[in-house]
C-alpha cells in the first residue's frame, strides 16, 4: 500500500510528517509534502486522517475498492467520513463516529 499526495491541494502544514509512524513523509520543494519511501508505507492512514485539506489518498488494492481505487478521509468533529473512489469514478462513503469506535 502507499499514498498519493495531491500537490495542488497540499498547503504545507506538515501535520502528516508529524503523525507518520515511519517518518516517511517530508516537506519538499515548493512546501509540498512528499512521501520518501512509498514501498515502506503500511497503509495506517494516519496521514490522511490528519490532513486538513484531504490532499492525501490511500491507494487501494483489487480486494478493496478495485485496483486503482483510492481512499480519502474527512474529519468532521467526531465523525470520520471514509470515501472510496473506485477506478470508474463511482464513490462509496462510510461515516463512522469515533466516539462509538468500540462498537465496530
Ligand atoms: S499511511 Fe501511515 S505509514 Fe503510510 S505514509 Fe501515511 S502515516 Fe505513513
Ligand atoms: S497534512 Fe496535508 S496539507 Fe499538510 S503537509 Fe501533509 S499533505 Fe500537505
Amino acid at each position: 500500500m502507499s499514498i498519493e499526495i495531491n500537490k495542488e491541494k497540499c498547503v504545507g502544514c506538515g501535520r502528516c510528517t508529524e503523525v507518520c509512524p515511519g517518518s516517511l513523509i517530508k516537506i519538499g520543494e515548493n512546501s509540498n509534502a512528499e512521501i520518501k519511501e512509498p514501498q515502506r508505507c503500511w497503509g495506517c492512514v494516519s496521514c490522511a486522517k490528519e490532513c486538513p485539506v484531504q490532499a492525501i489518498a490511500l491507494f487501494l488494492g483489487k480486494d478493496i475498492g478495485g485496483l486503482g481505487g483510492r481512499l480519502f478521509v474527512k474529519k468532521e468533529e467526531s465523525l470520520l467520513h471514509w470515501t472510496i473512489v473506485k477506478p470508474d469514478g463511482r464513490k462509496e462513503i462510510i461515516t463512522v463516529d469515533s466516539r462509538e469506535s468500540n462498537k465496530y
Side-chain angles (χ1 to χ4, degrees):
M1 283 191 167
S2 187
I3 57 165
E4 174 185 63
I5 300 172
N6 183 327
K7 292 189 188 311
E8 304 295 318
K9 285 186 176 178
C10 174
V11 295
C13 69
R15 289 194 204 177
C16 55
T17 67
E18 293 165 12
V19 298
C20 177
S23 303
L24 302 178
I25 308 174
K26 67 173 184 179
I27 299 296
E29 291 176 19
N30 304 319
S31 300
N32 281 138
E34 296 173 2
I35 182 156
K36 294 183 279 188
E37 296 173 273
Q39 70 279 10
R40 290 185 53 211
C41 169
W42 60 88
C44 71
V45 204
S46 298
C47 54
K49 285 199 285 190
E50 198 61 28
C51 180
V53 293
Q54 290 81 56
I56 302 179
L58 182 74
F59 286 117
L60 298 176
K62 61 182 176 185
D63 45 348
I64 322 173
L67 200 59
R70 289 167 169 77
L71 177 69
F72 295 86
V73 56
K74 182 177 182 182
K75 271 191 196 171
E76 195 175 47
E77 298 184 353
S78 66
L79 298 180
L80 291 172
H81 304 290
W82 298 92
T83 302
I84 295 170
V85 181
K86 300 188 180 187
D88 61 6
R90 284 180 299 137
K91 290 184 182 175
E92 185 176 337
I93 300 175
I94 299 165
T95 296
V96 174
D97 189 335
S98 58
R99 292 173 304 185
E100 299 181 358
S101 54
N102 286 342
K103 279 187 182 176
Y104 301 102

